Amino acid sequence: MSKTEAIEIFAKSVFSGEKKVISTDEFNALVEKAETQQERDFYLYIYSYLLQRSQKEVVQSGKY
């Protein structure tokens, strides 16, 4: 997965409410390809946000 594809998935997830999130393996590969710490931090921030949002939805639905 290219950086552009990953950012597109992140953006769609954040702005349109899509539930698709990249896999952990894809995320790790993306972080490994990051050229700066700032870029790694950005990916981590967005990925964490999306996971938290998913967890919140699961809790609100009463599954846990």
Side-chain angles (χ1 to χ4, degrees):
M1 170 180 300
S2 72
K3 290 179 185 180
T4 304
E5 291 169 326
I7 292 171
E8 182 180 354
I9 290 170
F10 283 148
K12 286 180 179 179
S13 293
V14 171
F15 296 115
S16 70
E18 276 191 30
K19 304 226 185 246
K20 181 177 180 183
V21 178
I22 63 173
S23 72
T24 303
D25 291 337
E26 290 171 321
F27 173 74
N28 290 335
L30 185 64
V31 169
E32 287 178 16
K33 291 179 185 178
E35 296 175 5
T36 65
Q37 183 62 43
Q38 186 177 19
E39 192 176 348
R40 283 186 285 279
D41 291 344
F42 171 76
Y43 296 141
L44 181 59
Y45 178 80
I46 298 298
Y47 194 71
S48 294
Y49 167 79
L50 295 172
L51 287 176
Q52 288 173 21
R53 187 178 71 183
S54 295
Q55 290 170 342
K56 181 180 177 181
E57 291 172 1
V58 168
V59 169
Q60 286 178 341
S61 71
K63 291 182 180 177
Y64 288 96

